[in-house]
């Protein structure tokens, strides 16, 4: 019975040692959590940059449309393949 207890205690110590110091142990878990946190921060920075670029793109698109509309209304701009017809009320 004592040898069985010693064998079980030895297995328990080996399993605990692997848990604490092994390849998938707690140290590795802490390291992975740190990597995850830094990656999440990098992702957030990239999301902010993407949002900024999308806003700039939207402004450019709307800006060009606004410039074209203003040129058509105030200056009578006509594209090469269009026919200009003006209707007066």
């Amino acid at each position: 019975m004592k040898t069985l207890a010693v064998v079980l205690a030895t297995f328990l110590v080996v399993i605990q040692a692997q848990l604490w110091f092994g390849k998938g142990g707690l140290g590795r878990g802490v390291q992975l959590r740190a990597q995850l946190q830094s990656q999440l921060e990098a992702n957030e920075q990239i999301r902010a940059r993407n949002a900024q670029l999308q806003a700039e793109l939207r402004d450019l698109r709307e800006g060009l449309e606004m410039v074209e509309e203003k040129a058509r209304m105030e200056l009578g701009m006509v594209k090469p393949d269009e026919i200009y017809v003006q209707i007066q009320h």
Side-chain angles (χ1 to χ4, degrees):
M1 192 64 154
K2 273 191 167 188
T3 54
L4 181 60
V6 169
V7 170
L8 291 176
T10 303
F11 282 135
L12 182 63
V13 168
V14 169
I15 290 171
Q16 285 294 315
Q18 287 179 355
L19 175 66
W20 289 91
F21 307 111
K23 183 177 178 180
L26 294 177
R28 177 74 173 145
V30 169
Q31 180 185 14
L32 289 174
R33 280 189 208 100
Q35 286 178 352
L36 176 64
Q37 186 61 36
S38 66
Q39 188 62 50
L40 289 173
E41 291 170 1
N43 288 353
E44 188 57 38
Q45 291 174 351
I46 290 170
R47 278 190 195 99
R49 177 70 176 137
N50 284 346
Q52 179 183 7
L53 288 173
Q54 286 176 346
E56 288 178 17
L57 181 61
R58 190 171 41 252
D59 288 345
L60 286 173
R61 284 184 181 158
E62 290 173 1
L64 289 177
E65 290 172 2
M66 186 176 15
V67 168
E68 182 180 348
E69 181 180 341
K70 192 168 188 139
R72 285 179 176 276
M73 298 302 269
E74 293 180 7
L75 303 175
M77 182 187 92
V78 179
K79 291 184 179 181
D81 58 345
E82 291 180 334
I83 299 173
Y84 179 71
V85 177
Q86 185 176 9
I87 300 174
Q88 295 184 359
H89 298 106

